[in-house]
Amino acid sequence: VFNMPEKPGFSAAISWCLSNINSDLAFNLEDDWICLKKIDIESVINVFKNKNVQTCMLSAAKRRGKKIIYHSTKVGFNPIMLRKTLILDFAKNIDLEINAEPQFKALCKKMNKEKGYIYSLYIGNGSCQIKDIGREWIENTNYKKVGLGRIFWE
């Protein structure tokens, strides 16, 4: 799949990708993240049996606990499985001139209050499940993010 919007940027890319999802659940894994451990995808999918659960985000931090998945208020664009209802709400309301991630967090907070949406956090065995390798890449290149909410590259 190939897409070249008139005005490229992070928010435009997110909007286009999410607008083209045609399944009930979708997994968002961007190019600057890697999985460090095997993910129990069945556990991730099973959390969506609760119709109020809209996301299951993979944890980038070490966490202790007996559960594999916790309900959480944290959302973001870590690798994350999303329900289509939330995806469509977000994709049709995204402002392409502003960083998509803070907009997504604000929508999730609003939907939690208005519709009782629940967001889940996958912690697996408690060790780090994923790693953001984009920060290392930025430090080792001459590129920098510019624009409101730093959504364009120079």
Side-chain angles (χ1 to χ4, degrees):
V1 177
F2 184 81
N3 179 45
M4 288 291 293
E6 284 184 34
K7 188 171 184 181
F10 177 63
S11 295
I14 291 290
S15 177
W16 183 84
C17 288
L18 296 181
S19 295
N20 284 284
I21 292 170
N22 56 19
S23 61
D24 291 334
L25 297 174
F27 188 74
N28 180 59
L29 176 64
E30 296 169 12
D31 63 347
D32 57 348
W33 287 90
I34 59 172
C35 292
L36 302 172
K37 306 279 184 183
K38 182 178 177 182
I39 306 301
D40 181 356
I41 198 70
E42 197 168 314
S43 291
V44 172
I45 291 170
N46 283 339
V47 76
F48 288 92
K49 288 179 179 176
N50 178 334
K51 296 298 181 192
N52 286 336
V53 171
Q54 298 296 305
T55 67
C56 189
M57 186 173 73
L58 304 187
S59 176
K62 290 182 181 178
R63 299 183 187 271
R64 296 180 186 259
K66 294 180 182 178
K67 296 180 182 179
I68 293 176
I69 295 177
Y70 285 88
H71 292 312
S72 173
T73 56
K74 292 187 176 243
V75 293
F77 289 145
N78 287 28
I80 187 170
M81 185 159 296
L82 305 127
R83 190 181 297 276
K84 187 174 185 174
T85 50
L86 181 66
I87 293 168
L88 294 177
D89 279 344
F90 180 61
K92 69 182 177 189
N93 293 304
I94 189 170
D95 181 339
L96 302 183
E97 298 295 323
I98 302 173
N99 188 326
E101 193 161 16
Q103 293 180 73
F104 180 67
K105 290 177 180 182
L107 175 72
C108 289
K109 186 175 183 178
K110 178 182 172 193
M111 293 293 112
N112 173 260
K113 289 179 181 173
E114 291 179 7
K115 297 184 179 183
Y117 282 179
I118 298 169
Y119 312 106
S120 295
L121 183 66
Y122 176 90
I123 64 166
N125 63 6
S127 63
C128 294
Q129 303 298 309
I130 53 175
K131 181 180 179 185
D132 179 353
I133 59 172
R135 307 236 182 267
E136 294 171 19
W137 180 84
I138 290 170
E139 291 172 5
N140 294 317
T141 67
N142 291 324
Y143 290 102
K144 61 183 177 186
K145 289 184 178 180
V146 297
L148 184 61
R150 298 179 4 188
I151 60 170
F152 304 103
W153 288 97
E154 266 187 359

